[in-house]
């Protein structure tokens, strides 16, 4: 006798639930701005200063402090990359790329001029939706397919995308 095991419930996913950006190979960095104008710089694991720096990030941030204060109160994470850091990307300079595309995307006029924002990549989901809007692939001729399922090895999780919802 075998115990019956039901198939897992599949949560839904929508375009709004994820953002895909290109991963840049540099070093993690953070700028923290306090309620009273405190200004901190950090690496992935610790606060850094111009005298105890990480690839010159803290020195750069302090030189650009006035502009960076536009970021406002909070923790602003990004990637410090370029000349002499990891891949280097054939650059002669170093750059700071903010991760939070929802807040700092190209639509935000307060994005500091000395910062970049992570580059958005096309949604593969969008391409799948457009393909299936033309009809089922599995059952040619059927015009209203339900959607598709995305499996991620990383989390061993399934997600469903329902086209008509």
């Amino acid at each position: 006798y075998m115990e019956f095991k039901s198939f897992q419930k599949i949560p839904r996913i929508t375009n709004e639930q994820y953002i895909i950006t290109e991963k840049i190979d540099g070093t993690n960095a953070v700028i923290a701005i306090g309620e009273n104008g405190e200004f901190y710089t950090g690496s992935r694991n610790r606060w850094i200063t111009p005298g105890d720096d990480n690839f010159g990030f803290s020195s750069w941030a302090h030189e650009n402090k006035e502009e960076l204060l536009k970021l406002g109160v909070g923790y602003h994470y990004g990637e410090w990359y370029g000349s002499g850091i990891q891949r280097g990307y054939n650059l002669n300079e170093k750059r700071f790329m903010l991760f939070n595309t929802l807040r700092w995307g190209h639509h935000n006029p307060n994005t500091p001029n000395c910062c970049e924002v992570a580059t958005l990549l096309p949604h593969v989901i969008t391409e799948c939706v457009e393909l299936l809007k033309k009809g089922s692939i599995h059952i040619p001729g059927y015009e209203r397919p339900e959607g598709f399922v995305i499996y991620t090895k990383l989390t061993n999780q399934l997600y469903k995308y329902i086209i008509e919802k």
Side-chain angles (χ1 to χ4, degrees), residues 83-109:
S83 179
I85 306 172
Q86 305 296 9
R87 294 173 193 254
Y89 294 94
N90 298 323
L91 295 171
N92 294 321
E93 75 280 357
K94 294 177 178 78
R95 301 176 181 178
F96 183 55
M97 178 188 76
L98 293 162
F99 292 148
N100 189 340
T101 59
L102 291 176
R103 182 170 183 186
W104 301 112
H106 302 288
H107 61 280
N108 189 332

Side-chain angles (χ1 to χ4, degrees), residues 31-104:
I31 294 169
I33 301 171
E35 294 282 345
N36 298 318
E38 302 94 340
F39 187 82
Y40 295 93
T41 53
S43 66
R44 177 181 302 283
N45 301 313
R46 64 186 177 91
W47 293 121
I48 57 176
T49 65
D52 183 20
D53 214 336
N54 184 32
F55 292 101
F57 177 71
S58 187
S59 296
W60 171 86
H62 281 84
E63 288 168 13
N64 290 279
K65 180 178 177 180
E66 244 0 86
E67 183 72 10
L68 291 169
L69 286 172
K70 289 181 180 179
L71 293 168
V73 173
Y75 292 81
H76 307 284
Y77 294 93
E79 197 76 3
W80 180 240
Y81 74 100
S83 179
I85 306 172
Q86 305 296 9
R87 294 173 193 254
Y89 294 94
N90 298 323
L91 295 171
N92 294 321
E93 75 280 357
K94 294 177 178 78
R95 301 176 181 178
F96 183 55
M97 178 188 76
L98 293 162
F99 292 148
N100 189 340
T101 59
L102 291 176
R103 182 170 183 186
W104 301 112

Side-chain angles (χ1 to χ4, degrees), residues 125-138:
I125 284 181
T126 305
E127 293 174 22
C128 293
V129 169
E130 292 307 311
L131 183 64
L132 289 175
K133 279 184 178 177
K134 297 174 186 171
S136 173
I137 304 302
H138 191 72

